[in-house]
Amino acid sequence: MEYSNQRIARITAHLYPSNLQMEDSSGLRQAMCRAKGGAPGFKVAILGAAGGIGQPLAMLMKTNPLVSVLHLYDVVNAPGVTADISHMDTGAVVRGFLGQPQLESALTGMDLVIIPAGVPRKPGMTRDDLFNINAGIVRTLCEGIAKCCPNAIVNLISNPVNSTVPIAAEVFKKAGTYDPKRLLGVTMLDVVRANTFVAEVLGLDPREVDVPVVGGHAGVTILPLLSQVKPPCSFTPQEIEYLTNRIQNGGTEVVEAKAGTGSATLSMAYAAVKFADACLRGLRGDAGVVECAFVASQVTELPFFATKVRLGRTGAEEVFQLGPLNEYERIGLEKAKKELAESIHKGVSFIKK
Ligand SMILES: NC(=O)c1ccc[n+]([C@@H]2O[C@H](COP(=O)([O-])OP(=O)(O)OC[C@H]3O[C@@H](n4cnc5c(N)ncnc54)[C@H](O)[C@@H]3O)[C@@H](O)[C@H]2O)c1
Ligand SMILES: O=C(O)C[C@H](O)C(=O)O
């Protein structure tokens, strides 16, 4: 018996339903669907979508009404994650992409690319210990972005953020596509933690608390500005010491509690979605969208620094100054800048060498 291509495809899809959402069978999906899609919204890709952060991040982005198309890329397990998430009855169309040969298809046409690809810490490691593996991963993914979606906003999560953002910038410069406004290192988890821990101390609802966290995303480079907390409040010296240490070591607290099985994934996915949603609202043209991020900056003498930024149609359109610091914060800033300078230099040299 001779089978038509369509019948073969239907039988294959029945036997391997998870293939349905993968790139090479999207023709079949379209043939089986009456609606042609094209709903208004943004196209978002997640690179590293099958990982500890990637999976809950993909799930939460599938629920975001601003997203019309969600591309899930990973070097492993992308078909399973895609099949699973694609069954959620929310608007975004989900497509999966597996391995380097499908990277370009994953990226083409994207408005926002979120990158949680890379290895996480184990107890006893610093984020910088991840550099040797993650630097190469970020370079390859950013080369793909430069080629396939050079105008996309990039949210970089992979550690060490203080070095991977400079790496990405150098890759884009080399390709001639660098726009500093579009490259944002995600430090949102530091803000989420700071809001939570400060709210605990003050006995407030964390949703009412706003703590600016500046500098970078590792140890002493994470600098919470407790003198600028909203609503306005004051802390004892002991509270300042406790809160600063806890915010700076929040990542290590989770790494140790997970005892070798990884680092923060669920709170990170929450923070990444909060930040991605702010970027999408900025892209849509909403006014007054402000979040902290690690970006190209002239706020200090360093080429990159995390502060509050205003997100707009072209990315980080305004980088805010630090505001008035107290003596404790000025000392913290000097420590942060010293470590940051080394991490930034390491990232830049990785590409320039
Ligand atoms: N910025 C932050 O605040 C923050 C917070 C938490 C974790 N992180 C970092 O995020 C990264 C990911 O953490 P995780 O817990 O999800 O790790 P994970 O190991 O659970 O997941 C990483 C995923 O990346 C994938 N991957 C590896 N190489 C890839 C490549 N070349 N292309 C695409 N995908 C690739 C893996 O297959 C895996 O699915 C780590 O570097 C971690 O340190 C950053
Ligand atoms: O601590 C880590 O290694 C992961 C992440 O950077 C975090 O802050 O949780």
Side-chain angles (χ1 to χ4, degrees), residues 119-125 130 251-265:
V119 290
R121 281 200 285 164
K122 289 188 188 310
M125 293 171 79
L130 306 173
T252 306
E253 184 178 321
V254 179
V255 167
E256 281 169 4
K258 290 200 173 181
T261 62
S263 56
T265 53

Side-chain angles (χ1 to χ4, degrees), residues 28 39 53 57 70 77 85 88 139 154 156 172 263 268 277 283 307 341:
L28 169 72
I53 297 167
L57 171 58
L70 185 60
N77 297 336
I85 285 180
M88 292 167 65
R139 173 175 55 195
V154 177
L156 192 39
F172 295 150
S263 56
M268 181 61 235
D277 181 69
L283 277 180
T307 48

Side-chain angles (χ1 to χ4, degrees), residues 161-290:
V161 169
N162 295 352
S163 301
T164 54
V165 169
I167 287 172
E170 290 303 316
V171 170
F172 295 150
K173 278 183 202 167
K174 239 182 174 174
T177 65
Y178 183 48
D179 176 355
K181 296 195 294 302
R182 298 187 195 274
L183 173 60
L184 302 111
V186 179
T187 58
M188 190 79 207
L189 183 53
D190 302 315
V191 174
V192 162
R193 285 177 178 143
N195 291 344
T196 305
F197 303 154
V198 165
E200 276 171 13
V201 165
L202 296 177
L204 294 174
D205 181 335
R207 290 167 296 186
E208 288 164 13
V209 176
D210 175 30
V211 187
V213 184
V214 302
H217 178 68
V220 295
T221 73
I222 300 169
L223 188 62
L225 300 182
L226 297 173
S227 65
Q228 295 180 24
V229 168
K230 286 188 193 138
C233 57
S234 61
F235 299 98
T236 66
Q238 291 78 11
E239 284 171 339
I240 290 173
E241 198 66 26
Y242 161 78
L243 283 168
T244 304
N245 284 334
R246 183 133 190 240
I247 294 162
Q248 290 182 334
N249 296 306
T252 306
E253 184 178 321
V254 179
V255 167
E256 281 169 4
K258 290 200 173 181
T261 62
S263 56
T265 53
L266 304 174
S267 52
M268 181 61 235
Y270 166 81
V273 166
K274 205 172 172 185
F275 188 68
D277 181 69
C279 289
L280 294 179
R281 282 184 284 116
L283 277 180
R284 184 173 64 178
D286 288 13
V289 183
V290 174

Side-chain angles (χ1 to χ4, degrees), residues 44-65 67-74 77-97 114-116 157 265-266 268-274 276 280:
V44 178
I46 300 177
L47 312 183
I53 297 167
Q55 291 198 35
L57 171 58
M59 183 185 77
L60 292 169
M61 289 307 286
K62 173 77 168 90
T63 67
N64 189 314
V67 181
S68 59
V69 172
L70 185 60
H71 282 190
L72 304 182
Y73 172 83
D74 205 301
N77 297 336
V81 174
T82 304
D84 193 353
I85 285 180
S86 71
H87 291 186
M88 292 167 65
D89 60 352
T90 60
V93 171
V94 185
R95 300 191 190 112
F97 301 85
I114 312 174
I115 312 182
I157 295 171
T265 53
L266 304 174
M268 181 61 235
Y270 166 81
V273 166
K274 205 172 172 185
L280 294 179

